[in-house]
Amino acid sequence: MENKHSSLGESHLDRFFYPLWLRIWHWLNAGLFLLLIASGVSMHFSSLEKPLIPFEAASLLHNVSGILLTINYAWFVVANFVSGNYRQYIPVFKNIFARLFLQARYYLYGMFRGEDHPFHISRKRKFNPLQQLAYVVVVYYFIPFVIGSGILLFFPELAPENFLGFSGITPVAIFHISIGYMLTFFMVVHVYLATHGETIWENFHGMITGYHSGHIETHPQSKDESSKEGKP
Amino acid sequence: MLRAILLLLSIAVLQATENQSCLKCHGMANLAEQTGPGRRLHSYHVAPSGFEHSNHHSLRCSDCHVQGYSQYPHAAAKTIPDCLGCHQNNSAFLDGSKERSLLLRDMEKMKTEFEQSAHHSALKDSFTCVHCHNPHRFADQRGKNLSFEERIEWSNAVCLNCHNSEKQINELKTKEYVYRTPEEIHAWLPSTEMHWKKVRCVDCHADFSGMERNEEERFSHKINPKEKAVRNCKECHSTESILTTRVYQMNMRKAREEEGLITAILWNNSYVIGATRNRWLDLFSLTLLVSGVGGIAIHAYARYYVYRKNRREKNDGE
């Protein structure tokens, strides 16, 4: 793929961030998230008079989407491990608060002053500190939790008969809904932050073609070193 | 005082003696007779242990079985014991308790409801109170300290006692009828077992129209024909759910009384998707979502503003 940065001496591969399996997983996940949110909201706020989606259809849609999400997640876990992409999710704790602050400061202040992104991404480190924290929590905690609690709601006989003195299904349902709300919140913020490339569509385009067209760090080591010192 | 004790004691002894003499035969599990159309086998067995734990345990057999039993052996019953004779307009039955008063008040309504029920329409006078409420073992569980699931199970056992038994249904049927188990009939219902643990049969199969809101623990005796049974999921799984005005309202109220308002709200034990929601969780989460979207809107506007300003400055510079 020819692009405007190829003249800077970067190899073609330097810009190939998102392999096909990752893009398929990502967009399938996105579509299933939307279906699960729509059907979940429709059932949770179900109304006789004005149903968003008819209950039977919403129930079927939610169950089928949930099963597909589970299969898709299993596929992600395997491919993530085999491809070595899991390394992207290993958090770097050193100076984490300083780096999180720098990234948050950029979003809330720096970008309006025309400052450069504090952390340029590279093939070795695709996420900025805020992204990494959010993705680790979402991918390794929230999604497995929502799948696990969804399975218990799908097979309620597997839910504990009694949990702290309450019928087991109630805490499971409340947990499932809470995670559902948080994932919905994540998705809204995720879509918005995805518009923070060099152009609004840059990141969306990258996740379709696999190639990142914005500025990249070709020597991530030096960037890491500077970030450890708390300097952008 | 001594006289009163002796009197009560002698009544109890007489009652026990009379009942024991009846149960000598009727306590036998195999006491039965082939009778009626089709020469079906009718059991005359009364389980002594079941009777001892029933609501009627303090009665003598002859209190209900009034005529034709003075000699032994006696002929088969010619008259069906009259339940309403005691349960309606009988001051002896009134012990001043609120529950008894409500029961007496409800009895007239129940009678009207029953006469409009599918059971009465199909079986007429051959179907009476005792077919559901076996007087020899019926033990009212209202007011007892049962869990929600136990109350549901107790209520549903009344229906399943017949509907789970092909033999029982065949004994009652008046026309050609192919027996199907409740599982077969409800195969369309998702999570069938779960529904049966959490919902009373009558919540879907009875007509609750005209009942007052505080009557939710009592159910309507107007059992609908199967065509009118609730099949629309939304009737339960919605904010205007029929369940929230029936058994679940009772459950939530009971939870509030027993566990306190906050616990009952935070750990609403009556979860039915679409019908019962944890309002605090919804409020918190929706506030978070709306704040997030609001924050994004402000941030996006600020970006747009800076973008326009920079473009203007660039154009001015050129």
Side-chain angles (χ1 to χ4, degrees):
Chain A
M1 180 190 167
E2 289 299 322
N3 60 56
K4 61 183 174 176
H5 294 283
S6 57
S7 61
L8 297 176
E10 300 154 4
S11 79
H12 192 62
L13 206 60
D14 282 342
R15 299 203 153 271
F16 188 64
F17 273 31
Y18 313 112
L20 183 64
W21 71 264
L22 187 72
R23 284 176 278 151
I24 291 174
W25 168 75
H26 176 269
W27 289 114
L28 265 177
N29 222 30
L32 292 170
F33 258 49
L34 289 175
L35 293 177
L36 285 162
I37 290 168
S39 54
V41 166
S42 181
M43 285 192 290
H44 188 62
F45 295 99
S46 182
S47 162
L48 269 177
E49 302 301 322
K50 299 169 196 159
L52 180 66
I53 304 171
F55 191 89
E56 298 89 324
S59 171
L60 183 68
L61 187 62
H62 204 77
N63 290 345
V64 171
S65 303
I67 292 165
L68 291 176
L69 185 91
T70 307
I71 296 169
N72 199 35
Y73 185 71
W75 154 250
F76 168 79
V77 170
V78 173
N80 198 41
F81 184 76
V82 172
S83 68
N85 191 61
Y86 69 90
R87 292 188 195 96
Q88 300 288 337
Y89 295 91
I90 298 172
V92 178
F93 290 107
K94 199 163 186 181
N95 284 335
I96 189 165
F97 292 111
R99 287 183 293 117
L100 286 172
F101 174 77
L102 278 176
Q103 188 62 43
R105 180 191 170 280
Y106 170 75
Y107 285 137
L108 296 172
Y109 177 76
M111 63 179 294
F112 299 112
R113 306 272 299 171
E115 290 176 7
D116 195 12
H117 284 266
F119 302 96
H120 287 293
I121 56 176
S122 67
R123 266 174 63 83
K124 283 193 174 176
R125 182 140 306 157
K126 298 177 193 172
F127 306 143
N128 70 44
L130 269 179
Q131 279 177 319
Q132 194 185 46
L133 179 70
Y135 294 168
V136 165
V137 171
V138 166
V139 174
Y140 289 109
Y141 292 93
F142 283 6
I143 295 182
F145 284 167
V146 87
I147 287 174
S149 54
I151 289 171
L152 287 180
L153 290 173
F154 203 68
F155 301 102
E157 63 275 16
L158 297 178
E161 280 283 315
N162 191 296
F163 180 81
L164 298 175
F166 299 95
S167 163
I169 206 70
T170 304
V172 173
I174 289 176
F175 184 69
H176 188 74
I177 292 165
S178 305
I179 302 282
Y181 270 124
M182 285 189 263
L183 285 172
T184 307
F185 184 75
F186 162 79
M187 193 167 186
V188 170
V189 175
H190 177 65
V191 170
Y192 179 65
L193 289 182
T195 65
H196 283 66
E198 287 181 15
T199 68
I200 284 179
W201 301 109
E202 179 198 303
N203 289 330
F204 296 97
H205 184 262
M207 195 41 95
I208 292 169
T209 62
Y211 288 89
H212 181 74
S213 58
H215 184 78
I216 60 167
E217 183 61 64
T218 48
H219 303 289
Q221 194 57 39
S222 60
K223 192 76 189 173
D224 285 352
E225 289 304 317
S226 66
S227 64
K228 280 177 191 171
E229 292 161 18
K231 295 174 188 169
Chain B
M1 180 68 180
L2 189 62
R3 275 186 187 179
I5 292 172
L6 283 172
L7 184 65
L8 284 173
L9 209 59
S10 52
I11 289 172
V13 169
L14 278 173
Q15 175 201 320
T17 311
E18 182 193 305
N19 288 358
Q20 274 171 7
S21 64
C22 296
L23 287 172
K24 268 183 192 167
C25 295
H26 287 280
M28 293 190 294
N30 56 357
L31 185 69
E33 182 188 21
Q34 277 190 317
T35 182
R39 306 280 295 157
R40 289 174 190 149
L41 195 66
H42 283 265
S43 172
Y44 297 126
H45 171 60
V46 175
S49 60
F51 183 70
E52 275 171 31
H53 293 98
S54 76
N55 277 31
H56 292 148
H57 72 277
S58 60
L59 299 179
R60 289 179 303 178
C61 300
S62 57
D63 286 341
C64 297
H65 302 282
V66 184
Q67 287 180 330
Y69 304 100
S70 55
Q71 289 186 341
Y72 171 84
H74 62 79
K78 289 188 174 59
T79 53
I80 297 166
D82 177 20
C83 303
L84 295 181
C86 277
H87 286 274
Q88 192 179 19
N89 303 325
N90 186 340
S91 58
F93 188 66
L94 263 174
D95 64 356
S97 75
K98 188 183 164 196
E99 279 186 12
R100 284 273 167 89
S101 307
L102 284 174
L103 190 63
L104 283 174
R105 188 202 67 182
D106 291 342
M107 204 53 71
E108 194 61 40
K109 281 186 186 174
M110 286 185 202
K111 189 181 169 199
T112 312
E113 289 163 1
F114 171 69
E115 284 168 357
Q116 295 171 341
S117 73
H119 289 133
H120 185 71
S121 304
L123 304 167
K124 303 295 178 207
D125 291 340
S126 63
F127 191 87
T128 64
C129 309
V130 299
H131 286 94
C132 295
H133 309 293
N134 186 324
H136 298 128
R137 60 168 188 260
F138 185 78
D140 192 356
Q141 300 297 316
R142 291 186 302 178
K144 301 272 175 67
N145 192 25
L146 296 182
S147 71
F148 179 69
E149 282 78 11
E150 285 169 334
R151 287 205 296 276
I152 299 284
E153 189 183 356
W154 169 72
S155 171
N156 288 351
V158 173
C159 307
L160 292 174
N161 186 41
C162 282
H163 286 277
N164 249 351
S165 163
E166 185 172 4
K167 181 173 163 280
Q168 294 271 35
I169 294 290
N170 284 338
E171 277 182 18
L172 280 168
K173 72 179 182 185
T174 52
K175 57 183 180 185
E176 210 44 53
Y177 176 81
V178 179
Y179 175 77
R180 289 165 70 210
T181 63
E183 286 81 2
E184 288 169 337
I185 294 168
H186 294 86
W188 64 275
L189 182 67
S191 305
T192 319
E193 284 289 327
M194 187 64 173
H195 277 96
W196 288 347
K197 278 184 188 170
K198 302 287 182 181
V199 189
R200 298 176 304 178
C201 304
V202 290
D203 286 318
C204 295
H205 288 278
D207 185 345
F208 281 76
S209 57
M211 288 188 73
E212 294 166 22
R213 279 184 76 85
N214 61 2
E215 288 185 302
E216 66 274 5
E217 192 166 4
R218 182 172 90 72
F219 63 87
S220 169
H221 280 65
K222 186 179 173 185
I223 307 297
N224 279 327
K226 63 181 180 186
E227 298 78 25
K228 284 191 176 176
V230 171
R231 266 190 91 110
N232 184 353
C233 308
K234 280 184 299 184
E235 287 193 38
C236 290
H237 294 281
S238 71
T239 45
E240 308 89 8
S241 158
I242 54 172
L243 279 182
T244 55
T245 59
R246 294 182 194 171
V247 69
Y248 277 78
Q249 189 198 50
M250 169 195 75
N251 194 40
M252 283 185 277
R253 196 188 60 217
K254 198 171 160 58
R256 281 197 297 274
E257 287 167 2
E258 290 174 2
E259 296 155 13
L261 180 66
I262 302 298
T263 314
I265 289 172
L266 290 178
W267 292 98
N268 184 353
N269 208 20
S270 318
Y271 180 78
V272 179
I273 189 163
T276 53
R277 299 198 297 266
N278 189 307
R279 292 182 190 282
W280 292 105
L281 176 65
D282 285 345
L283 190 67
F284 172 77
S285 305
L286 289 174
T287 306
L288 189 71
L289 266 176
V290 170
S291 308
V293 172
I296 285 172
I298 293 168
H299 194 270
Y301 179 76
R303 279 171 74 191
Y304 179 69
Y305 177 81
V306 171
Y307 167 76
R308 288 284 300 267
K309 185 169 161 258
N310 289 343
R311 210 167 72 163
R312 241 188 344 258
E313 285 173 1
K314 194 178 168 189
N315 289 340
D316 290 347
E318 286 171 0

